[in-house]
Amino acid sequence: MAKVSLKHIYKVYDGKVKAVNDFNLEIEDKEFIVFVGPSGCGKSTTLRMVAGLEEISAGELWIGDTLCNHVEPKNRNISMVFQNYALFPNMSVYDNIAFGLRMHKVPKNEIDEKVRAAAEILGITEYLDRKPKALSGGQRQRVALGRAIVREPNVFLFDEPLSNLDAKLRARMRTEITRLHKRLQTTFIYVTHDQIEAMTMGDRIVVMKGGYVQQIDTPQNLFRWPENKFVAGFIGTPQMNFFPATLKRDKGGVTVTTKDFTLTVPASEAYRLDEEYLDGERKVTLGIRPDDIRPVAKAKSGAEIRAEVALVEELGTQILVYANTDKSRLMEENSETAFCAATAGNPGICAGKEVCFEVNTAKLHFFDEATGQTVKHRIPTVTVKGAVKGGKIKMLGAENALPPALSTKLENGEYEVTLPAEALAFGKSGYAGTVEEVDDLGKGRVLYRVCCGKDRVFLIAEGGRAAGESVFVGVAAEKVTFKQSGEVIVGAIPATFRLGGRYVRFKDGKQKKHCIETDGVRIETPFEFNRKMYDRGRSVFKRNLAFEASADKVKFGGDIPVTVEEALDYGDKKYTRLRLNETTFCIEGEGGTNVMFDFDDVKVYDSDIDMRLF
């Protein structure tokens, strides 16, 4: 059994075409991971890189404690099941399953034991003497699975194994593969273009598009909290409905305005929306899942859409109603006014009838019209009003002193204060509040919504607090942004910074050395960093590169000369703003005019094709 780590994996063809871009994933031992996306999204290419059938252009692939970039496929202890069964037609089922073991010169008695054990697991014992042509499609796929099982691999790889089967058999095999995973307790990586397979089989799902990972999460979280419009439309059947809209904050919450109807987002959900989209002018895309629209005689909540029915599909326990708010475009499936509603039972709806549809406004989704990124977040960054006067700030229903780093820069007046979840923590002092909502994020992390004064904030902490509990919320001032009329007055301290430059060799007397050269400044690099650079080929000396470092890994001392621009006193923490030629960055602490980098932390990018080398 093994954990699989894919760290900044790229696949580049002909030096330019990137099939997979900066793929990062930690797969736990015994986890069932599904890669899903449309054709050409890079899911099979990624799987083939794990298998060793495709060379990795950049990045690191770890299986267990072994770096496998250059390990031969036969030595990776993996088994792969393909879309086509790839069975030997002249061999019996028994011989097909045993073939790999015989190639590895496993003793005959051990082969027999493993083949019969696998056949029993898959229910094909009675077919061991048959040839593949005497089997059905599902039985052939079981034989392919059996051939993989007997290898007892650390990782199972599945490349769309059910796509050649009919719908009924596909559903049955889905269940069998899920049961097989639970029985074998081995790491499974499964590729499919079918989102139903992904939702029903995976512990976690990786949604891909155009070579990029769109989102990685559990099936339910993908469904409830899609990070962009593509994920929202791809996950869920029937597909989510989309409408062009605008948002505007009012006393009762947030008003959603479309061409043909108006809805109100309740105040309890309005805090999850990005403040910059609530001006009533910026265009967004409203998303409503069919299950959250239902035909009714009268909408008791007042949240309704009136539309004419174009088509009704009766699916037994579920009825899909296709409607359009624009009667002149009734039969246009892809019009901006068409939508689908899902209901149970038989509401007596027929085509050509005008119907009232009630909307569950607590479950609306919103996306930026241009980028498609969500503007309604599970873990929101909240912006509140803060009034500065005499070195103190009044916000979240209380007044507290500003740290020196802010009191010298913030003049008296009103500010928009942006509070990301990572800037907030429970403490013994700070801003008094009451826990309103508790959301378990998994792995010991819990999202809390806390009411402080008239505002709500979100923070992540360990479990143990319940709704209704009184708490104090502390604010890490160095992670907060202050704006006036949308202009940043004081920003949060950046966690990382980049230096542009080259990787060069030079002679120091008789000794040959290596360094990063950035605007004429040479930063000598250690042996392990140089080894990683040479692993990428000698072309690294010809490339335009960018070197990214984490600010908290840079320390005072060393031999890299910097200019001290400013000392920043945040109370519990003190920072210094430094300049290295044209690049400025902040590091924690106070010291002299030289710093040192932790080269184990430095990340290297090829600036010409925007690819991380390591």
Side-chain angles (χ1 to χ4, degrees):
M1 312 309 158
K3 177 179 178 180
V4 180
S5 298
L6 296 96
K7 301 179 179 180
H8 303 285
I9 297 291
Y10 290 81
K11 180 60 185 177
V12 182
Y13 292 103
D14 301 325
K16 295 180 181 179
V17 180
K18 288 191 284 186
V20 178
N21 293 268
D22 200 15
F23 189 103
N24 291 278
L25 179 63
E26 295 289 329
I27 304 174
E28 297 299 328
D29 183 27
K30 303 176 186 178
E31 190 174 14
F32 197 133
I33 288 287
V34 179
F35 297 168
V36 67
S39 297
C41 71
K43 56 187 185 296
S44 290
T45 301
T46 305
L47 191 78
R48 290 172 63 83
M49 284 191 283
V50 175
L53 304 178
E54 289 278 359
E55 184 180 345
I56 297 172
S57 301
E60 295 180 349
L61 167 68
W62 293 80
I63 299 178
D65 297 325
T66 304
L67 179 63
C68 292
N69 287 46
H70 303 295
V71 175
E72 290 293 321
K74 65 180 181 179
N75 298 326
R76 296 191 183 192
N77 196 19
I78 58 175
S79 284
M80 191 164 181
V81 180
F82 296 91
Q83 179 177 345
N84 56 346
Y85 318 122
L87 302 178
F88 295 104
N90 60 319
M91 292 185 183
S92 66
V93 168
Y94 184 102
D95 291 334
N96 266 283
I97 296 175
F99 182 80
L101 297 177
R102 287 172 177 160
M103 292 297 99
H104 284 79
K105 303 189 183 305
V106 175
K108 286 185 178 181
N109 60 333
E110 188 177 337
I111 290 175
D112 186 70
E113 183 180 336
K114 288 184 176 183
V115 169
R116 295 190 183 281
E120 184 177 349
I121 289 172
L122 296 167
I124 55 174
T125 302
E126 60 187 285
Y127 307 131
L128 289 176
D129 295 329
R130 294 189 187 181
K131 297 287 180 67
K133 65 181 181 181
L135 303 178
S136 68
Q139 289 165 348
R140 292 179 193 179
Q141 193 58 276
R142 287 195 193 94
V143 175
L145 287 170
R147 186 172 51 193
I149 290 172
V150 293
R151 291 279 311 278
E152 296 180 354
N154 288 334
V155 185
F156 276 97
L157 307 180
F158 297 84
D159 190 6
E160 303 199 44
L162 309 183
S163 58
N164 289 338
L165 306 180
D166 61 64
K168 186 175 180 179
L169 188 54
R170 202 159 54 233
R172 182 179 171 187
M173 288 300 297
R174 277 204 312 264
T175 305
E176 291 193 12
I177 291 175
T178 304
R179 286 176 178 166
L180 182 64
H181 172 255
K182 295 185 183 302
R183 184 164 181 174
L184 297 179
Q185 290 293 289
T186 308
T187 306
F188 276 32
I189 306 177
Y190 188 100
V191 164
T192 180
H193 63 274
D194 186 337
Q195 61 96 16
I196 294 179
E197 282 183 24
M199 291 288 285
T200 55
M201 298 175 74
D203 296 327
R204 285 190 297 157
I205 300 173
V206 181
V207 183
M208 299 183 69
K209 178 189 176 186
Y212 290 90
V213 173
Q214 302 297 306
Q215 189 172 347
I216 304 172
D217 216 325
T218 63
Q220 282 306 307
N221 285 342
L222 286 174
F223 187 82
R224 292 181 58 205
W225 301 105
E227 291 183 3
N228 57 47
K229 183 180 175 182
F230 173 78
V231 175
F234 195 84
I235 298 296
T237 303
Q239 181 179 301
M240 182 182 287
N241 303 295
F242 297 110
F243 306 89
T246 56
L247 302 171
K248 188 174 182 64
R249 186 182 289 283
D250 57 31
K251 293 181 180 179
V254 171
T255 300
V256 186
T257 304
T258 71
K259 177 185 174 184
D260 298 303
F261 59 89
T262 300
L263 302 171
T264 300
V265 180
S268 60
E269 292 295 315
Y271 291 96
R272 297 185 182 277
L273 296 169
D274 286 343
E275 193 72 26
E276 61 189 288
Y277 290 86
L278 307 184
D279 58 3
E281 297 180 3
R282 192 161 178 174
K283 300 292 185 181
V284 298
T285 300
L286 163 65
I288 312 176
R289 292 209 179 274
D291 290 335
D292 296 322
I293 310 176
R294 62 187 186 94
V296 294
K298 185 178 181 181
K300 295 179 182 178
S301 64
E304 64 177 45
I305 302 173
R306 290 196 168 272
E308 188 165 323
V309 176
L311 179 67
V312 177
E313 291 183 346
E314 296 195 22
L315 305 176
T317 57
Q318 187 184 49
I319 295 176
L320 302 182
V321 181
Y322 296 88
N324 201 312
T325 56
D326 186 344
K327 295 180 181 180
S328 65
R329 307 176 70 181
L330 199 59
M331 300 311 295
E332 293 184 24
E333 180 184 354
N334 297 319
S335 74
E336 295 176 343
T337 54
F339 64 91
C340 173
T343 184
N346 188 349
I349 295 173
C350 58
K353 183 178 179 181
E354 185 174 278
V355 175
C356 174
F357 295 87
E358 187 172 40
V359 180
N360 184 350
T361 54
K363 294 186 177 181
L364 300 180
H365 299 265
F366 301 95
F367 307 95
D368 181 284
E369 186 183 58
T371 66
Q373 293 300 306
T374 185
V375 302
K376 181 185 178 183
H377 306 277
R378 186 182 189 186
I379 307 175
T381 294
V382 174
T383 299
V384 302
K385 291 182 179 179
V388 173
K389 186 176 181 181
K392 294 183 177 181
I393 184 167
K394 187 175 183 180
M395 66 178 187
L396 301 178
E399 188 174 64
N400 285 290
L402 287 168
L406 295 179
S407 61
T408 56
K409 295 183 178 181
L410 298 176
E411 298 178 351
N412 292 346
E414 298 282 337
Y415 292 87
E416 300 115 42
V417 187
T418 301
L419 301 169
E422 59 268 19
L424 307 175
F426 290 123
K428 296 181 179 179
S429 61
Y431 296 91
T434 303
V435 176
E436 287 188 329
E437 183 182 352
V438 180
D439 185 3
D440 188 357
L441 300 176
K443 296 186 177 180
R445 299 165 68 245
V446 178
L447 177 67
Y448 294 92
R449 187 180 75 196
V450 181
C451 179
C452 297
K454 295 182 179 179
D455 294 303
R456 272 81 175 170
V457 295
F458 293 81
L459 61 91
I460 298 171
E462 293 181 352
R465 290 174 172 83
E469 183 177 342
S470 296
V471 294
F472 283 100
V473 176
V475 178
E478 70 274 11
K479 298 179 181 179
V480 176
T481 301
F482 294 82
K483 297 180 182 180
Q484 280 185 328
S485 302
E487 180 183 352
V488 175
I489 306 301
V490 178
I493 291 179
T496 63
F497 64 94
R498 278 194 182 192
L499 300 168
R502 304 288 291 267
Y503 180 61
V504 300
R505 291 176 293 189
F506 67 99
K507 279 191 174 182
D508 184 7
K510 294 184 178 180
Q511 194 174 13
K512 187 179 290 186
K513 295 185 177 181
H514 298 78
C515 70
I516 294 170
E517 188 172 71
T518 173
D519 293 329
V521 176
R522 285 184 170 180
I523 304 171
E524 192 172 342
T525 52
F527 173 80
E528 185 60 25
F529 182 88
N530 295 331
R531 184 193 64 76
K532 290 180 182 178
M533 293 297 285
Y534 270 89
D535 282 348
R536 272 67 191 173
R538 294 183 179 273
S539 64
V540 292
F541 293 107
K542 302 176 183 179
R543 301 182 186 182
N544 294 312
L545 303 173
F547 306 92
E548 183 179 280
S550 300
D552 62 350
K553 297 290 186 179
V554 181
K555 305 297 180 185
F556 282 108
D559 55 2
I560 303 172
V562 292
T563 302
V564 177
E565 291 206 328
E566 185 181 15
L568 300 169
D569 184 356
Y570 280 94
D572 293 340
K573 293 184 178 181
K574 292 179 172 56
Y575 294 83
T576 304
R577 189 182 305 279
L578 305 171
R579 177 179 291 276
L580 179 57
N581 282 333
E582 299 302 315
T583 303
T584 60
F585 55 96
C586 292
I587 67 173
E588 190 173 350
E590 299 173 306
T593 56
N594 289 281
V595 297
M596 65 177 72
F597 285 4
D598 179 357
F599 279 94
D600 289 336
D601 168 71
V602 173
K603 304 168 184 65
V604 182
Y605 294 83
D606 185 327
S607 300
D608 295 328
I609 59 174
D610 189 25
M611 181 176 75
R612 176 169 162 167
L613 300 181
F614 64 85

